[in-house]
């Protein structure tokens, strides 16, 4: 006989983080298609839109002035300056989704993940770990439209970020060619909270 009482779980906040080039955007895009009951926060950024990106879907692309106005009006849960571009997590989206009883998924850098966890205690942090460093370097160099110095900086930063993975609640290895497995692991983490 099953004595488990069913109870309604309250929604949580999940921050997905990891080094540049590890596949966070690919993972999130597939999650959006496969796990539609979650709310995926659309980050605000001052960086230039890439060719395949859609404003309002991938990011909200704003001017530096508009971003500063949002900082001044306390519109962000957390924001950071990353590689000379600013990225911010809009508070309103998070609060709205939680009030609708939806789990909230946020993509943030390492520092942002720590900050959000400090602000909202029901936050679970998930670190996406690269299959290996050479694959990470390959992914970074294949999308780089920047200088060798910029690539070197991103690789050095990525190596430092990987060192901080033990500070996360969960570490999910994003193995080459095993994206389904990565998605399944992340969804299990979300489903079990």
């Amino acid at each position: 006989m099953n004595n488990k009482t069913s109870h309604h779980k309250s929604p949580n906040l999940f921050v997905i983080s990891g080094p540049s080039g590890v596949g966070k955007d690919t993972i999130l895009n597939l999650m959006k298609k496969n796990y539609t009951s979650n709310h995926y926060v659309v980050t605000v950024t001052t960086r230039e839109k890439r060719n395949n990106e859609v404003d309002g879907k991938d990011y909200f692309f704003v001017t530096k002035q508009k971003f500063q106005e949002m900082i001044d009006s306390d519109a962000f849960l957390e924001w950071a300056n990353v590689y000379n571009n600013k990225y911010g997590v809009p508070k309103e989206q998070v609060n709205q989704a939680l009030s609708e009883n939806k789990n909230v998924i946020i993509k943030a850098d390492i520092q942002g993940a720590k900050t959000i966890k400090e602000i909202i205690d029901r936050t679970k942090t998930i670190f996406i770990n690269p299959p290996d460093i050479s694959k990470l370097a390959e992914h970074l160099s294949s999308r780089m439209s920047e200088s060798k110095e910029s690539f070197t900086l991103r690789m050095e930063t990525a190596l430092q970020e990987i060192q901080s993975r033990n500070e996360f609640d969960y570490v999910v290895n994003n193995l080459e060619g095993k994206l389904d497995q990565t998605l399944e692991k992340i969804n299990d983490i979300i489903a079990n909270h």
Side-chain angles (χ1 to χ4, degrees):
M1 196 167 115
N2 189 348
N3 287 337
K4 268 192 188 170
T5 54
S6 71
H7 63 283
H8 191 68
K9 293 192 297 191
S10 60
N12 284 301
L13 204 60
F14 297 89
V15 180
I16 293 181
S17 194
S20 192
V22 78
K24 294 181 298 287
D25 288 328
T26 304
I27 289 166
L28 281 163
N29 286 334
L30 284 169
M31 284 180 71
K32 287 173 192 173
K33 281 186 195 137
N34 297 330
Y35 309 112
T36 54
S37 62
N38 301 320
H39 176 79
Y40 299 89
V41 171
V42 180
T43 304
V44 178
T45 185
T46 58
R47 86 158 165 73
E48 289 294 311
K49 187 161 80 73
R50 292 181 187 142
N51 289 336
N52 58 341
E53 290 176 326
V54 178
D55 186 37
K57 180 176 172 269
D58 297 299
Y59 290 93
F60 287 109
F61 297 94
V62 299
T63 62
K64 286 180 168 62
Q65 182 187 340
K66 171 71 176 156
F67 197 96
Q68 188 57 52
E69 288 167 12
M70 293 177 80
I71 293 171
D72 295 342
S73 65
D74 198 27
F76 295 121
L77 180 62
E78 177 276 334
W79 68 272
N81 201 344
V82 184
Y83 303 118
N84 298 320
N85 293 301
K86 290 186 170 80
Y87 295 83
V89 176
K91 269 185 198 174
E92 194 180 313
Q93 274 188 60
V94 174
N95 294 335
Q96 176 74 32
L98 289 173
S99 74
E100 291 170 3
N101 217 32
K102 290 181 178 179
N103 283 322
V104 176
I105 315 295
I106 298 173
K107 180 182 81 168
D109 70 339
I110 306 296
Q111 199 51 54
K114 291 177 190 172
T115 303
I116 293 167
K117 193 167 176 70
E118 286 167 15
I119 297 168
I120 299 178
D121 60 355
R122 61 177 156 181
T123 301
K124 304 287 176 236
T125 55
I126 303 170
F127 185 91
I128 307 298
N129 205 35
D132 63 55
I133 298 307
S134 63
K135 287 288 177 208
L136 189 66
E138 243 175 69
H139 287 273
L140 274 176
S141 63
S142 72
R143 77 168 197 213
M144 291 301 287
S145 52
E146 298 160 57
S147 65
K148 184 147 179 53
E149 292 79 24
S150 177
F151 170 76
T152 304
L153 171 67
R154 283 181 184 247
M155 268 313 290
E156 285 170 3
T157 303
L159 294 172
Q160 287 169 355
E161 289 174 340
I162 291 167
Q163 298 305 311
S164 69
R165 68 179 174 250
N166 296 338
E167 298 167 31
F168 282 72
D169 297 316
Y170 301 94
V171 175
V172 174
N173 292 316
N174 188 22
L175 303 174
E176 198 69 20
K178 305 257 193 230
L179 202 51
D180 290 349
Q181 207 174 316
T182 303
L183 284 178
E184 220 171 276
K185 285 180 182 165
I186 294 169
N187 193 51
D188 284 348
I189 292 166
I190 293 168
N192 290 313
H193 281 284

